[in-house]
Amino acid sequence: KIDWNDMSELSSVIPLLAKIYPNGEADVNHFHAAGGTGFLFGELMRGGYLHPDANTVWGESFIDYCVEPKLKGGNLHWDKTPTKSVDQSVLSCIEKPFEHEDILSDYLEIIKNITLNLLFYVAKLHRKSCLCIVKLA
């Protein structure tokens, strides 16, 4: 069983490569524009922090996550994500991480509260959808 303490231990070893809220002022849009998950996964694989051959939900491996969809001439194409950060104030390379310390422990209580609130919200939504099904029947 993995718990928040395990995540905290991992965060003390894995370098911080993304400065997005709450660790920075950038939001998810800035993160995506700077290179997004494709760049981040590529850097973590290059640094030996992410196994490229690990099973994933989509694709064969994490290497499949280092592409992004583009429309070209009305057709869908998969282009490789950047190998260099487009905005180094948001995404950094493995050689120059923002921090290399346990930043997760600072946010552990916040994360726990968000998780509990999210679970409560999902349960509430589930209950409403069940009520809708009962009313329809």
Side-chain angles (χ1 to χ4, degrees):
K1 176 180 171 187
I2 296 175
D3 63 19
W4 290 112
N5 293 322
D6 297 320
M7 298 303 280
S8 183
E9 285 181 30
L10 282 172
S11 75
S12 69
V13 189
I14 299 171
L16 178 63
L17 301 181
K19 280 282 215 182
I20 55 175
Y21 182 81
N23 293 337
E25 295 184 19
D27 65 15
V28 70
N29 298 305
H30 296 111
F31 172 73
H32 179 71
T37 54
F39 172 80
L40 182 62
F41 288 169
E43 285 299 292
L44 291 172
M45 283 186 278
R46 201 166 61 79
Y49 295 99
L50 187 65
H51 295 284
D53 58 349
N55 291 331
T56 62
V57 174
W58 173 83
E60 304 262 331
S61 69
F62 274 107
I63 294 169
D64 293 329
Y65 285 76
C66 295
V67 295
E68 60 185 4
K70 300 277 182 171
L71 278 178
K72 294 181 183 173
N75 296 316
L76 178 65
H77 290 272
W78 292 91
D79 292 344
K80 288 186 178 182
T81 52
T83 55
K84 293 188 179 189
S85 175
V86 179
D87 184 347
Q88 294 182 2
S89 70
V90 177
L91 273 174
S92 188
C93 63
I94 201 78
E95 292 84 11
K96 295 180 184 177
F98 293 114
E99 297 178 31
H100 199 124
E101 59 186 55
D102 180 6
I103 58 154
L104 184 59
S105 62
D106 297 338
Y107 300 105
L108 204 48
E109 284 304 310
I110 295 170
I111 291 169
K112 286 179 183 177
N113 288 334
I114 290 171
T115 303
L116 288 174
N117 286 331
L118 183 60
L119 289 172
F120 176 74
Y121 180 72
V122 168
K124 202 172 176 182
L125 284 177
H126 178 69
R127 187 175 59 217
K128 282 184 181 179
S129 65
C130 290
L131 290 174
C132 290
I133 292 170
V134 169
K135 285 182 182 179
L136 288 174

